[in-house]
Amino acid sequence: MAGLSTLILLLCAAKDVMPSSSHWKPTWPSYRVPVILPQSTLNLDKPRFDAETKLEVVSPCGPACHKSSPLPTYEEVRDYLSYETLYANGSLTETEVGIYILSNGGEGSRGKSRTKRQIYGYDSRFSIFGKDFLLNYPFSTSVKLSTGCTGTLVAEKHVLTAAHCIHDGKSYVKGAQKLRVGFLRPKLKDGSKGANISSSAMPEKMKFQWIRVKRTHVPKGWIKGNANDIGMDYDYALLELKKPHKRKFMKIGVSPPARHLPGGRIHFSGYDNDRPGNLVYRFCDVKDETYDLLYQQCDAQPGASGSGVYVRMWKRQNHKWERKIIGIFSGHQWVDMNGTPQDFNVAVRITPLKYAQICYWIKGNYLDCREG
């Protein structure tokens, strides 16, 4: 299975079923998802944890640049989807993977950077106040990382975020070994720690309650790419908590084409660093897309990196509306568009391959990851 033709077959493994137009509902497509399985695991030397945390990444490679890049070979894709696992005790492993396509249940074999404001015209962000909103779905799925980024709850013990919040492409950041995830909870007036809130102890403000991270997965595509043309496509990481968080989480899904998104829009909430302590929600139109990235001009600031980008569509099988995370907000790009500088915010799309990988990290069983 070596060569470009195999990879093209692999990338086309997703069977995109067009949304039904009979009821005018934006419908989640059905995808046939590849299988990504660990092949071998190697113990690595403990990392130094000496990188400075950067709350955004900047790349000069825009939509045209990505679209003109040659397709990677099967061996390259397999290498990019291999991953490092960092444990709370500081140990580190590297896992090589195999990629397979199942059919009918059977197994087959650079420019100018801009680091200040990322606001486009009128600031359209909304700060979310009050426990009635902050503690309710979908806003309650947003959490804060101790490194300063945002993450999203995607399972009972798992948080999806951006890889650059953990690793700068060359080394793990200083806070990665003792990484914690913060959950907004009511702060009681009487200082009690009880879960029940009586009329005499109503919450006056919110505070973060922190849970330690047990292990972290980062794809080698990010580590090898180091935020260059390849690395941007793999700016995602999965965190496993030491204990369940007991909140409703949001499922991940394969990112549909932008033209199939309701209104062509995406949504995400994050802890932008210009509004300390506030959860900030926004939505905006997708301006462009590549196979791996969504380009948009959602107003955002550093700190929002790692937010789960989601949409709400009709789930035909369950006969209900369902929100799913289809991407991870990465950060800002300044692009030379035919001699005219233009800036975008970029999100990493959850492709069928990435869905298979992240789902396996969560469930540990490819059989539970067959439908995106």
Side-chain angles (χ1 to χ4, degrees), residues 48-54 86-88 145-148 164-167 171-181 210-213 216 239:
R48 295 189 303 269
F49 302 104
D50 56 0
E52 294 292 336
T53 303
K54 295 182 179 180
L86 174 66
Y87 296 85
L145 274 59
S146 56
T147 54
H164 74 261
C165 299
I166 314 298
H167 195 290
S171 179
Y172 286 88
V173 303
K174 292 179 179 179
Q177 183 176 359
K178 297 182 179 180
L179 188 63
R180 299 178 300 157
V181 172
W210 300 89
I211 298 179
R212 288 287 301 274
V213 172
T216 301
L239 318 178

Side-chain angles (χ1 to χ4, degrees), residues 7 11 62-63 66-67 69-72 77 80-81 221 228-236 255-256 288-295 326-330 333 346-355 357:
L7 180 67
L11 297 181
H66 277 274
K67 290 175 183 178
S69 298
L71 283 173
V77 172
Y80 300 152
L81 290 173
N228 63 14
D229 300 353
I230 296 172
M232 287 295 294
D233 296 345
Y234 295 90
D235 188 13
Y236 60 93
S255 174
D288 205 344
E289 65 181 326
T290 67
Y291 183 78
D292 286 285
L293 301 174
L294 288 173
Y295 291 88
I326 62 167
I328 304 93
F329 178 62
S330 182
Q333 285 194 0
V346 63
V348 178
R349 297 178 66 183
I350 298 180
T351 63
L353 285 166
K354 293 170 188 170
Y355 175 89
Q357 181 187 56

Side-chain angles (χ1 to χ4, degrees), residues 123-143 150 184-185 204-208 247 267-272 274-283 307 310 323:
D123 190 344
S124 60
R125 296 174 297 164
F126 302 87
S127 290
I128 305 300
F129 298 105
K131 68 182 182 68
D132 289 341
F133 289 102
L134 289 169
L135 299 182
N136 286 333
Y137 185 87
F139 304 115
S140 59
T141 64
S142 295
V143 292
T150 300
L184 272 181
R185 297 192 185 279
E204 60 178 355
K205 61 172 67 174
M206 307 296 288
K207 66 176 183 179
F208 284 106
R247 283 193 181 183
H267 309 249
F268 63 95
S269 301
Y271 292 97
D272 299 50
D274 67 331
R275 300 187 185 184
N278 289 350
L279 180 65
V280 183
Y281 163 77
R282 77 230 71 201
F283 64 90
S307 302
Y310 66 86
R323 289 181 180 87

Side-chain angles (χ1 to χ4, degrees), residues 228-274:
N228 63 14
D229 300 353
I230 296 172
M232 287 295 294
D233 296 345
Y234 295 90
D235 188 13
Y236 60 93
L238 187 77
L239 318 178
E240 181 182 345
L241 304 175
K242 285 194 170 183
K243 62 180 181 179
H245 53 73
K246 299 180 181 179
R247 283 193 181 183
K248 184 177 180 181
F249 56 86
M250 197 179 301
K251 295 179 181 179
I252 63 171
V254 174
S255 174
R259 66 183 182 277
H260 293 171
L261 301 178
R265 293 194 183 103
I266 56 172
H267 309 249
F268 63 95
S269 301
Y271 292 97
D272 299 50
N273 64 359
D274 67 331

Side-chain angles (χ1 to χ4, degrees), residues 26 31 56 59 67 74 101 120-122 125 138 140-141 149 187 200 213 242 265 279 348:
Y31 291 89
E56 61 178 345
S59 171
K67 290 175 183 178
Y74 170 81
I101 296 178
Y120 302 91
Y122 177 75
R125 296 174 297 164
S140 59
T141 64
C149 290
K187 182 177 181 180
S200 62
V213 172
K242 285 194 170 183
R265 293 194 183 103
L279 180 65
V348 178

